[in-house]
């Protein structure tokens, strides 16, 4: 059996039919995809594959032995154990014993949240040569942008950096919705996928984005900024998100305006902590700005932020005042 384990764990990094796969993290979409990759591969090899998908509470002592016992029909099985970090001590002991001598034609998939809880089982799985799939929560906007770009690539398409950003702004942090949106765009759109395409498909969501409000304001377009602001508030965007976006927009103008001249685009991006595509956008937005205008706009943002956090009676009015002030400051040169 140990020999079988050695054969099945060689080059397992890209083999979904390895004896053992561990999917580590808390991002549900990625965990589900890790399971689906294994089950799809197993059913491609044998359409009659028996798949058992178990919650941690369903895997009691003795259950694994029952599921992995030899069958008269020598059928292929996939056994999925979710929330493996929550398994009881006796079940973990049984699993560790199984990892030393896995059954033929059985693929075990352990879904583990990572972290300290249940770390002994995760360490044992890694020591046994498990194929590992990372499924981390994507809490940073940059991670979600990378995810969206990867979704387009996986479907054989590409989208402009601005389109990817607009999609994240419109949809938010839900990876399932982001993946669904990418699939819809690639299915429906034959040509280039840019910001205008995203806005056309997600009008009411993309247009309600706090970043749309900020973009229109720093571009010196008060009427459009106010329209976007009112729509954003009407559709439930939190005022504090608008002040945050306004602050980011004005600070980006200030950072780029004060950057040393003559720097190469890549060096400038690293210096300012912005992706190159954003530097191009900010460079276009800053044409009418002066140093005094940036100072005025930053004060307006600070006043609005204080108002929406309890210092004023009417957050909507405070935001409108800030948007108009910023748009005027954008024409101060």
């Amino acid at each position: 059996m140990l020999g079988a384990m050695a054969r099945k764990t060689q080059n397992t990094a890209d083999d979904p039919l390895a004896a053992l796969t561990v999917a580590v993290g808390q991002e549900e979409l990625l965990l589900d995809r890790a399971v689906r990759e294994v089950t799809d591969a197993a059913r491609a090899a044998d359409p009659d594959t028996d798949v058992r998908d178990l919650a941690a509470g369903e895997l009691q002592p003795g259950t694994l032995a029952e599921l992995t016992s030899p069958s008269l029909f020598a059928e292929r099985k996939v056994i999925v154990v979710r929330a493996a970090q929550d398994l009881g001590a006796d079940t973990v002991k049984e699993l560790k014993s199984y990892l030393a001598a896995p059954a033929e034609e059985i693929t075990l998939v352990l879904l583990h949240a990572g972290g300290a809880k249940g770390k002994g089982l995760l360490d044992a799985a890694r020591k046994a040569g498990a194929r590992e799939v990372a499924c981390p929560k994507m809490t940073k906007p940059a991670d979600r942008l990378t995810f969206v770009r990867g979704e387009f690539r996986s479907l054989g398409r590409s989208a402009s950096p601005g389109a990817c950003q607009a999609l994240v702004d419109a949809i938010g942090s839900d990876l399932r919705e982001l993946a669904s949106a990418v699939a819809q765009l690639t299915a429906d759109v034959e040509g280039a996928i840019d910001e205008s395409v995203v806005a056309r498909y997600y009008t009411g969501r993309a247009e309600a984005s706090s970043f749309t409000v900020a973009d229109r304001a720093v571009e010196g377009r008060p009427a459009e900024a106010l329209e976007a602001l009112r729509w954003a508030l009407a559709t439930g965007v939190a005022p504090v998100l608008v002040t945050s976006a306004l602050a980011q927009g004005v600070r980006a103008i200030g950072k780029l305006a004060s950057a040393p001249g003559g720097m190469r685009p890549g060096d400038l991006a690293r210096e300012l902590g912005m992706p190159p595509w954003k530097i191009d956008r900010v460079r276009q937005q800053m044409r009418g700005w002066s140093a005094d205008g940036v100072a005025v706009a930053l004060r307006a943002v600070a006043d609005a932020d204080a108002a929406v956090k309890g210092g004023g009676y009417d957050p909507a009015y405070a935001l409108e005042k800030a948007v108009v002030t910023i748009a005027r400051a954008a024409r101060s040169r």
Side-chain angles (χ1 to χ4, degrees):
M1 283 293 188
L2 290 174
M5 182 64 178
R7 287 193 299 274
K8 294 189 76 174
T9 56
Q10 288 176 351
N11 302 316
T12 60
D14 56 357
D15 180 11
L17 293 181
L20 174 63
T21 289
V22 289
V24 184
Q26 299 179 47
E27 185 55 66
E28 291 297 328
L29 173 65
L30 301 183
L31 290 168
D32 287 346
R33 284 185 173 182
V35 172
R36 188 169 68 243
E37 182 184 19
V38 172
T39 56
D40 286 352
R43 284 173 171 152
D46 180 356
D48 295 324
T49 294
D50 180 21
V51 177
R52 303 295 180 92
D53 197 325
L54 308 172
E58 296 178 276
L59 195 67
Q60 297 297 319
T63 304
L64 183 66
E66 180 182 341
L67 291 173
T68 58
S69 60
S71 167
L72 291 175
F73 303 101
E75 62 184 355
R76 180 182 291 275
K77 288 184 181 179
V78 174
I79 301 171
V80 180
V81 181
R82 297 182 181 270
Q85 73 279 355
D86 295 333
L87 291 170
D90 290 341
T91 304
V92 168
K93 182 178 179 181
E94 186 176 342
L95 264 170
K96 288 180 177 179
S97 177
Y98 173 81
L99 295 180
E104 290 288 343
E105 300 301 317
I106 290 179
T107 298
L108 178 63
V109 184
L110 300 179
L111 275 54
H112 194 291
K117 187 177 183 181
K119 189 173 182 296
L121 175 59
L122 186 56
D123 289 343
R126 287 168 171 161
K127 187 176 180 180
R131 167 180 175 263
E132 186 165 342
V133 181
C135 305
K137 271 287 186 186
M138 296 192 181
T139 57
K140 297 179 181 178
D143 293 337
R144 293 192 287 273
L145 272 176
T146 300
F147 172 78
V148 167
R149 287 194 292 267
E151 289 293 288
F152 278 115
R153 281 196 301 272
S154 71
L155 294 171
R157 298 291 297 278
S158 62
S160 71
C164 293
Q165 180 67 61
L167 198 59
V168 172
D169 289 345
I171 302 299
S173 60
D174 191 310
L175 290 199
R176 292 185 189 279
E177 289 196 33
L178 285 170
S180 177
V182 170
Q184 180 184 11
L185 289 172
T186 56
D188 293 353
V189 179
E190 293 185 2
I193 299 174
D194 57 19
E195 287 177 85
S196 65
V197 171
V198 174
R200 186 167 71 248
Y201 271 75
Y202 295 97
T203 298
R205 297 184 71 171
E207 293 305 319
S209 164
S210 55
F211 290 101
T212 300
V213 179
D215 283 342
R216 299 298 86 81
V218 300
E219 289 163 4
R221 296 154 66 179
E224 294 177 39
L226 286 172
E227 181 182 3
L229 172 63
R230 288 161 185 161
W231 183 254
L233 296 177
T235 53
V237 175
V240 70
L241 295 180
V242 179
T243 56
S244 176
L246 290 170
Q248 289 182 48
V250 175
R251 286 172 186 152
I253 298 285
K255 287 169 69 175
L256 188 56
S258 60
M263 294 183 69
R264 292 180 298 181
D267 293 336
L268 186 60
R270 285 190 291 273
E271 177 74 18
L272 300 183
M274 299 182 196
W277 68 265
K278 187 171 183 179
I279 287 178
D280 291 340
R281 174 187 284 181
V282 174
R283 186 172 279 128
Q284 293 174 354
Q285 292 173 335
M286 65 181 286
R287 289 172 181 166
W289 284 85
S290 66
D292 288 342
V294 171
V296 168
L298 286 173
R299 283 197 297 272
V301 171
D303 290 343
D305 188 56
V308 303
K309 290 179 179 176
Y313 293 105
D314 190 343
Y317 172 75
L319 287 172
E320 289 188 5
K321 183 179 178 181
V323 162
V324 171
T325 302
I326 292 168
R328 287 175 179 168
R331 300 172 179 171
S332 57
R333 178 175 291 178

